[in-house]
Amino acid sequence: MVPPAPPAPWCPLFKWGQRGRTVYLTIFVPCLKGDDDFTLNLTDTTLTFTAHRKARFAGGMEAERGSLLSLLLHAPVEPARCAHFVRHDHVRVELAKRELCHWRTLQAAGVPRNPNERPDFDHYDGDSDSSAEEQRSPARPARMTPAPTPSAVHQHASRHTAGTSWLPEPSEAVLPLLVLMYAVACPYTKVEESFNMQAVHDMLYLGTELERYDHLEFPGVVPRTFAGALALAAAAAPVALPLGAAGVLLKAHAQLLVRAVLGLASASASLALHRAVRARFGHTSGRAFLLLSAVQFHPLFYGSRTLPNTYGAIAAALATAAWLRSDEQRAVAILTAATVIFRADLLLLLAPLALLALLRRRIGLLALVRTGAAIGVLALAITVPLDSLLWRRPLWPEGEVFFANTVGNMSANYGASPWHWYFTSALPRALALGYPLAIGAITLAPTAREFVLVPLAAIALYSLLPHKELRFVLYAVPPLNVAAAAALAELSTRVPRAPRTTRRRAVAATAWLMLALALGTSAGLALISLAAARLNYPGAHALLALHAATSARPPPRVHIGARSQP
């Protein structure tokens, strides 16, 4: 007797919606126990879901039931960035759009609407860069959507690329203003940043008189590159030199001008990252990024300090922006150049990022090697001739620094900290509220998980060196802030927007109050840190007092110290 053929699989009910750059697809299949009960095959343009389960009926009867859902997606997605979650009665799939665009339908133009398709009103595109008409209505599939004409496609693309324009938003002014405020509040120089500041001074005021440059008499422990100082001097010269020659701009004011130039460069890199966050995760995440960045003291403070780490942090922000836009090749190029020229320890961030890009096939091995080699050679062609000329010997500064701090372990002479210090002291102070949010993003925002794991891997590697300072991990702040912003945006979507019951209103009010308190606490800690930083330059305050006393009669006598005889 021939056994009966198994019943044909049925198409399950499903709903979909979108927020920013993520499409949320919920497929309803009851009695699922785990990933073994279904198969999800995803390419950049198709999705196929199959499930097999045993249905139980009254009287102890059982029957095999199969489900099949096959979709031709409206636009390409990034399969490596997609995620799915299993519940007892449904599977939720989060599709990461390859390009920021508003999906009017779930499937491609010309594909008939599935009769089991439903709109998901919990995920509507209120954060997207869509037109005002689209923002007023939930992002639900259209029942009868004709294929768009080429002109309609062009108009649609124009609407959505407008949100990622280079034109600044009013809220973006907060970061440059805060950086400038910190620079004015703390205009003096610590020993770590004195080399670059003095180098800018010599380039501005000594020009080609290389034999008078300060580093020849006070070379420091290890040689540093002049590339950053040259860029700052070139940017400040059009203002500093004419006003200085006219006697309007004193050297103390020129120092503040140089800090402002560097601070604005740091803020510009952060704003480029903000726009990439907004394009990838939506406007809510973009606003969350600005908010979190504004209440963090150390990244803004170091943004105007003439440290090699600051140049590295700018490169890390620009590389993270390229990473957000799925341009890992550009991110690798930026980090490679910054590693060769400014800070060799950026290699610890570059290596896990490049490995991730290879494993997810976002860049080929040959393209990676070609990019790294070409940019590395170009960077060496910049730093080696410049620094060999000014240091008066053949030199690659970061190569020598890397050898001294890793092979020679020279940095350990300046103090050692326990292996966990970056995780338990530096990152909590640098990120403030962003630290727990970044860690929480691992589960709250799976599509932002890579922006947590890559920098944490870099910091774990850096923790092997005994000497530790907060400024050494500034490169990890941009990607961690991206993840923190995505997590904060996700939390905000879970708070009821228009609760109808007293209990839900109380829950919503409590959630917003806790968020406000957390942000207020972070801002308060930033102000306390700023007040402490202002008092952290006793030598500068002593010199100011001395300058103020030179007009006294008789002139004061000051003992600075005795130089020991050899």
Side-chain angles (χ1 to χ4, degrees):
M1 183 174 180
V2 179
W10 57 279
C11 179
L13 288 171
F14 62 95
K15 65 179 182 178
W16 76 281
Q18 60 188 311
R19 278 185 183 274
R21 204 156 180 163
T22 303
V23 174
Y24 298 91
L25 173 65
T26 304
I27 307 170
F28 294 98
V29 179
C31 305
L32 290 176
K33 297 179 180 179
D35 287 351
D36 294 337
D37 291 348
F38 69 92
T39 302
L40 182 64
N41 294 319
L42 183 64
T43 69
D44 57 348
T45 56
T46 64
L47 180 147
T48 304
F49 172 87
T50 57
H52 301 281
R53 63 187 180 87
K54 229 174 230 190
R56 297 180 182 274
F57 302 97
M61 297 180 60
E62 294 183 350
E64 293 286 341
R65 287 290 183 266
S67 305
L68 173 63
L69 175 64
S70 183
L71 301 174
L72 179 61
L73 300 176
H74 175 82
V77 299
E78 292 280 354
R81 290 184 175 147
C82 300
H84 70 271
F85 308 91
V86 186
R87 300 295 183 264
H88 72 283
D89 62 345
H90 69 270
V91 176
R92 175 177 166 181
V93 185
E94 295 185 1
L95 302 172
K97 301 176 185 176
R98 179 174 295 175
E99 301 291 340
L100 179 63
C101 63
H102 183 75
W103 287 20
R104 300 294 292 173
T105 58
L106 177 61
Q107 299 200 69
V111 177
R113 180 179 179 274
N114 192 302
N116 287 348
E117 178 183 316
R118 303 290 186 270
D120 186 351
F121 294 103
D122 291 330
H123 297 95
Y124 61 92
D125 209 359
D127 295 345
S128 74
D129 291 323
S130 42
S131 65
E133 180 182 356
E134 291 169 349
Q135 291 184 7
R136 284 195 294 268
S137 61
R140 53 185 180 271
R143 294 186 178 276
M144 299 280 297
T145 305
T149 62
S151 61
V153 171
H154 178 74
Q155 293 171 3
H156 183 73
S158 301
R159 284 201 305 269
H160 294 292
T161 55
T164 57
S165 168
W166 58 270
L167 292 175
E169 294 181 352
S171 58
E172 290 184 337
V174 65
L175 295 186
L177 290 176
L178 285 173
V179 169
L180 293 178
M181 182 187 79
Y182 287 173
V184 172
C186 304
Y188 309 119
T189 302
K190 284 282 188 180
V191 63
E192 295 88 352
E193 50 183 314
S194 60
F195 169 78
N196 274 282
M197 185 60 78
Q198 186 66 47
V200 174
H201 167 274
D202 293 346
M203 290 177 174
L204 284 175
Y205 295 105
L206 300 181
T208 57
E209 300 179 55
L210 304 184
E211 68 281 356
R212 295 179 57 192
Y213 275 33
D214 181 82
H215 70 283
L216 298 177
E217 186 175 357
F218 304 101
V221 179
V222 291
R224 289 295 182 185
T225 181
F226 282 84
L230 179 61
L232 284 178
V239 176
L241 294 184
L243 295 183
V248 177
L249 190 72
L250 301 178
K251 286 188 176 182
H253 301 150
Q255 174 172 310
L256 185 58
L257 172 64
V258 169
R259 288 205 184 285
V261 170
L262 180 57
L264 291 176
S266 299
S268 297
S270 295
L271 294 180
L273 180 54
H274 158 249
R275 292 165 193 156
V277 171
R278 184 182 63 194
R280 173 77 173 268
F281 296 112
H283 271 286
T284 300
S285 296
R287 289 189 289 266
F289 178 85
L290 285 179
L291 197 58
L292 291 172
S293 300
V295 298
Q296 294 170 346
F297 169 75
H298 289 91
L300 294 172
F301 173 79
Y302 279 109
S304 63
R305 320 314 288 183
T306 52
L307 290 161
N309 310 87
T310 302
Y311 305 135
I314 293 174
L318 295 175
T320 305
W323 180 9
L324 277 164
R325 292 191 168 95
S326 303
D327 192 353
E328 279 81 359
Q329 187 168 4
R330 178 179 295 234
V332 167
I334 294 171
L335 289 178
T336 300
T339 299
V340 172
I341 297 176
F342 296 117
R343 289 290 301 191
D345 48 7
L346 275 167
L347 179 64
L348 299 176
L349 181 63
L350 171 61
L353 173 58
L355 180 61
L356 177 68
L358 282 173
L359 292 177
R360 293 191 169 181
R361 298 182 180 180
R362 299 178 192 170
I363 186 173
L365 179 60
L366 183 60
L368 178 65
V369 172
R370 187 187 300 118
T371 300
I375 298 300
V377 169
L378 180 61
L380 285 173
I382 294 173
T383 181
V384 171
L386 173 65
D387 294 309
S388 298
L389 171 66
L390 293 173
W391 284 102
R392 297 187 170 182
R393 62 184 176 93
L395 178 66
W396 172 30
E398 276 311 298
E400 189 167 316
V401 172
F402 179 77
F403 182 85
N405 287 335
T406 54
V407 179
N409 199 21
M410 182 185 297
S411 62
N413 298 330
Y414 299 94
S417 300
W419 65 269
H420 57 77
W421 186 83
Y422 285 135
F423 297 99
T424 57
S425 179
L427 287 178
R429 288 184 288 130
L431 293 169
L433 177 60
Y435 190 41
L437 286 172
I439 301 300
I442 295 176
T443 56
L444 285 171
T447 55
R449 190 177 296 158
E450 62 192 270
F451 300 98
V452 183
L453 300 181
V454 167
L456 289 187
I459 295 172
L461 293 172
Y462 214 155
S463 297
L464 299 176
L465 290 178
H467 181 62
K468 299 175 177 65
E469 296 184 35
L470 186 148
R471 60 190 175 96
F472 293 167
V473 293
L474 288 176
Y475 328 126
V477 170
L480 288 175
N481 268 345
V482 169
L488 182 56
E490 176 63 24
L491 286 174
S492 71
T493 64
R494 300 186 182 187
V495 179
R497 298 301 177 112
R500 298 180 180 179
T501 65
T502 303
R503 182 175 177 273
R504 290 176 66 85
R505 282 196 294 268
V507 170
T510 302
W512 290 118
L513 179 61
M514 291 177 63
L515 176 59
L517 287 175
L519 290 171
T521 301
S522 296
L525 291 174
L527 292 176
I528 293 173
S529 299
L530 177 61
R534 281 179 55 83
L535 303 176
N536 202 23
Y537 299 86
H541 293 296
L543 289 174
L544 285 177
L546 174 62
H547 293 164
T550 53
S551 59
R553 291 292 182 269
R557 301 182 64 181
V558 179
H559 175 74
I560 294 178
R563 183 176 182 180
S564 61
Q565 297 296 323

